[in-house]
Amino acid sequence: MDNAPLVRWPGDREEEEDEIQTLSRSKALVAKVCNESKKLWYLAGPSILIAVFQFSLFAVTQTFSGHLGATQLAAVAMGNLVISGIGYGFLMGMGSALETLCGQAFGAGQLHMLGIYMQRSWIILTVTATLISPVFVFAGPILKLLGQTAQVSEVAGKFSIWIIPQLFAYGFNFPIQKFLQSQSKVIAMAWMSGACLAVHILLSWLCIMKLGWGLVGAAITLNFSWWLLVFVQLAYILLGSCPGAWTGFSCLAFKDLGGFIKISMASAIMLCLEYWFVMILIVLVGHLKTNAEIDVDATAICLNLDGWIIQVPIGFMAAISVRVSNELGAGRPKAAKFSVGVAVATSLTVGIFFMVIILITRTSFPALFTNDPKVMAEVSRISSFLALTIVLNSIQPVLSGVAVGAGWQAVVSYVNLGCYFLVGLSAAALLGYKFDLGVKGIWGGMLLGFVAQMIILSVITFRTDWNKEASLAHDRVSTWEKSARVTTTNDVF
C-alpha cells in the first residue's frame, strides 16, 4: 500500500494550475505594491521632513511664546492661525497650481516650462501678498470685531504687523517648492529646510528668552528664517542644480498671466477653505461663555500638535501629487490609479499609529506646551477629539493631493465649501452654543465637516476615469507649451 501510485482525480491538475496562477498574481501584486511604496517613500520621506521643518518655524515660535504667558500664547495663536493663516493659506493655495502644471509638464518631458511657470507664480503671488497686507496692518481691530478680548487682540495686532515681511517670503517660497518638488528634488529641500529650522530655534531662544525681546523677537526670527529659506533654495536653483528646468529669467513669465491666475485662484480657494475653516473655529472658541483664554490656549495647543502630526500626511500629499501628475503627464493612467491606493493605505496606517500615541500620553504631553495647570487639564479633556482628528486627517490631505495632481481644484473647492461651511461650521455653532457643549461641540462640528469631505473625495477619486484624466493632462500640457513658443531668442535675460 505504501508504494501504491498516487491517484490523480479529474480536476486536480486544473486546481493546481489555478493555485499556481493565484500565487503568481499575489506575488506580482506584492512586488508591485513594494515598488510603488519605494517610489512613494522616496518622495514622501523627505517631503514629510520638509513639511515638519517648515511648520516647526511656527510651532517653535508658539512654544517659546507660551512660556511668556497665557496672553502671549493666545496672541501668537491668533496671529499665526487667524491672521497669518489667511495669507499662508491663500498664497500656498495659489502656489499649488504649480503642482499640477509643473508635475504634468515634467512627466511629459517639457522641462523648459517649469522655470517659466515658477516665474509667473512669483509675479502673481507678490501682487497677491501686497493686496493681503492690509489685513496684517489692521489685525487688532479685525480680531476685536470678531469678538476676541481687547488684550489678546491688541497684542496679536502688534505681532501681526511685525510679521508682514514673512507674508512676502511666502510668495517666493511656495513656487520654488513646487518647482523643485515636481522634479523630485525633495532630499535637497529637506536639508535646506532642516538647516533653516536649526537656525530658527537658536535665534528664537536668543531673541525671545535670552535677550528678552518677547513677541517682537518672535516676529523678527520668523521673518528672518522664512527669508533665509527662500534665499537658500533660490541659490540652489541659480547655481545650476536644475538643468533644463531653469534656463534663466524670461519675459515669457509675463505672458498668459490671465489663464495662470484662473488656475491659481481655483487652487487658492480649494486650500483656503480648509485653512479658514480651522481659523473660524478658533474664533468661535474665543466666544465661548467659559474662560475664553484657557479654551483658546487649549485648542491652540491641540491644533499645534495636530499641525505637527498632519505634516506626515501632507508629505504624502506632496508625494502623491507628484506621482499622479507625473504619471498622467507621461500617459500612464493605471500607474496613477494604483499609486493613489498605496498612498491612502500607507498614510492611514501612520495616522492610526499617532492616534494611539496621543491617547496613551494624553495626561503628559500638554506639559510640553504650557505651564498652566488649567490649560493642561483642558488639553487632556479634549485630547480624544484630537486623536480622532489625526486619523481623519491622515486620509484627507492625500485625497487633496490627488486632486491637485490631476487638476481638480475647482471641483474640490465646491466640495470643501459645502462640507466645511454648510456641514462643519453649522454643526460646530449648533453643538458648541445651542447645546452648550463648548470646545467639544465646536470640535465635533469640525470632525463632521472632515468626515463629509473625506467621503465625497473618496467617491470622486475611486470612480474617476483615469484614461480620460491622462488625455486631459496631455491636452493641458500641449496648450500651455504652445502658448509659450516664441519666434525670437531675446526672451531670456
Side-chain angles (χ1 to χ4, degrees):
M1 292 295 293
D2 293 338
N3 296 323
L6 179 66
V7 177
R8 302 187 66 86
W9 297 95
D12 282 355
R13 183 177 299 278
E14 288 78 2
E15 289 181 6
E16 290 178 2
E17 290 178 353
D18 289 342
E19 290 177 359
I20 292 172
Q21 291 178 1
T22 301
L23 185 61
S24 298
R25 286 195 294 267
S26 299
K27 288 182 177 179
L29 178 60
V30 171
K32 189 176 180 182
V33 170
C34 290
N35 183 50
E36 179 59 35
S37 294
K38 290 179 182 178
K39 295 178 182 179
L40 191 66
W41 276 106
Y42 176 81
L43 295 168
S47 295
I48 290 170
L49 291 177
I50 294 166
V52 169
F53 291 154
Q54 295 191 13
F55 175 79
S56 295
L57 295 176
F58 297 112
V60 165
T61 299
Q62 188 162 309
T63 300
F64 275 109
S65 300
H67 293 280
L68 295 175
T71 299
Q72 287 83 350
L73 175 59
V76 172
M78 285 295 174
N80 278 337
L81 292 174
V82 180
I83 303 303
S84 185
I86 293 174
Y88 186 93
F90 201 78
L91 293 174
M92 184 180 182
M94 295 193 74
S96 72
L98 291 188
E99 292 189 53
T100 303
L101 298 174
C102 285
Q104 293 183 359
F106 183 84
Q110 302 287 350
L111 287 181
H112 64 284
M113 292 301 299
L114 272 62
I116 295 173
Y117 290 155
M118 180 173 65
Q119 293 171 65
R120 286 177 185 170
S121 192
W122 281 343
I123 295 169
I124 293 170
L125 266 63
T126 299
V127 173
T128 304
T130 303
L131 297 176
I132 294 176
S133 59
V135 175
F136 286 66
V137 174
F138 298 103
I142 290 173
L143 290 174
K144 288 181 182 178
L145 186 63
L146 293 174
Q148 303 307 300
T149 63
Q151 186 177 12
V152 171
S153 298
E154 183 178 351
V155 177
K158 292 179 180 178
F159 177 76
S160 298
I161 292 174
W162 275 95
I163 60 174
I164 288 177
Q166 177 184 314
L167 178 65
F168 289 89
Y170 297 158
F172 282 90
N173 178 63
F174 295 141
I176 292 174
Q177 279 192 313
K178 307 311 177 186
F179 170 83
L180 294 173
Q181 176 184 304
S182 66
Q183 302 169 69
S184 300
K185 296 185 180 295
V186 287
I187 296 178
M189 291 171 62
W191 279 106
M192 290 183 281
S193 298
C196 290
L197 174 60
V199 172
H200 181 69
I201 293 173
L202 178 61
L203 288 178
S204 295
W205 171 81
L206 178 64
C207 295
I208 299 174
M209 308 302 294
K210 189 69 174 178
L211 298 178
W213 291 359
L215 294 190
V216 173
I220 291 174
T221 55
L222 267 178
N223 293 335
F224 177 84
S225 299
W226 276 103
W227 276 107
L228 177 64
L229 180 60
V230 169
F231 285 122
V232 169
Q233 292 177 135
L234 190 58
Y236 175 79
I237 295 172
L238 297 181
L239 290 176
S241 299
C242 304
W246 176 259
T247 57
F249 294 97
S250 174
C251 293
L252 290 174
F254 296 92
K255 186 178 180 180
D256 292 328
L257 288 178
F260 207 87
I261 291 173
K262 184 178 180 180
I263 189 170
S264 295
M265 286 297 296
S267 299
I269 293 172
M270 184 189 100
L271 289 183
C272 274
L273 290 173
E274 297 179 15
Y275 278 96
W276 292 347
F277 178 49
V278 176
M279 176 191 75
I280 292 173
L281 291 176
I282 287 287
V283 174
L284 288 179
V285 171
H287 281 280
L288 290 174
K289 296 178 182 179
T290 56
N291 193 325
E293 194 169 281
I294 291 177
D295 289 334
V296 169
D297 285 350
T299 306
I301 287 172
C302 286
L303 290 177
N304 190 7
L305 184 56
D306 177 57
W308 253 322
I309 295 174
I310 201 177
Q311 303 313 308
V312 176
I314 284 179
F316 282 107
M317 174 182 175
I320 193 60
S321 174
V322 172
R323 292 289 298 125
V324 168
S325 61
N326 284 176
E327 295 295 356
L328 290 179
R332 294 190 289 264
K334 290 184 179 180
K337 181 180 180 180
F338 187 78
S339 184
V340 172
V342 174
V344 170
T346 305
S347 185
L348 178 60
T349 302
V350 175
I352 293 173
F353 169 78
F354 280 116
M355 177 193 71
V356 173
I357 296 297
I358 290 296
L359 293 177
I360 292 175
T361 62
R362 62 192 304 169
T363 59
S364 56
F365 77 80
L368 297 173
F369 300 91
T370 181
N371 298 324
D372 191 321
K374 293 182 179 180
V375 176
M376 292 171 62
E378 182 65 16
V379 172
S380 297
R381 193 173 71 89
I382 62 176
S383 59
S384 57
F385 286 81
L386 171 62
L388 184 56
T389 301
I390 288 170
V391 173
L392 295 176
N393 281 343
S394 67
I395 301 175
Q396 184 271 335
V398 177
L399 296 178
S400 293
V402 175
V404 171
W408 303 338
Q409 289 94 329
V411 174
V412 179
S413 295
Y414 290 110
V415 173
N416 288 355
L417 179 63
C419 293
Y420 288 151
F421 291 86
L422 296 182
V423 177
L425 193 58
S426 299
L430 186 65
L431 294 173
Y433 292 95
K434 181 67 175 179
F435 292 96
D436 201 24
L437 295 178
V439 175
K440 286 188 175 182
I442 291 175
W443 203 308
M446 179 177 71
L447 292 177
L448 288 176
F450 285 158
V451 170
Q453 188 223 32
M454 183 185 69
I455 291 173
I456 294 175
L457 288 185
S458 297
V459 172
I460 292 174
T461 300
F462 292 103
R463 295 187 65 182
T464 294
D465 183 346
W466 290 97
N467 291 316
K468 180 180 178 181
E469 294 301 324
S471 177
L472 292 173
H474 176 268
D475 294 342
R476 184 182 294 115
V477 171
S478 298
T479 299
W480 284 96
E481 194 276 334
K482 288 177 182 178
S483 70
R485 289 179 184 173
V486 294
T487 57
T488 66
T489 59
N490 298 321
D491 64 299
V492 177
F493 54 91

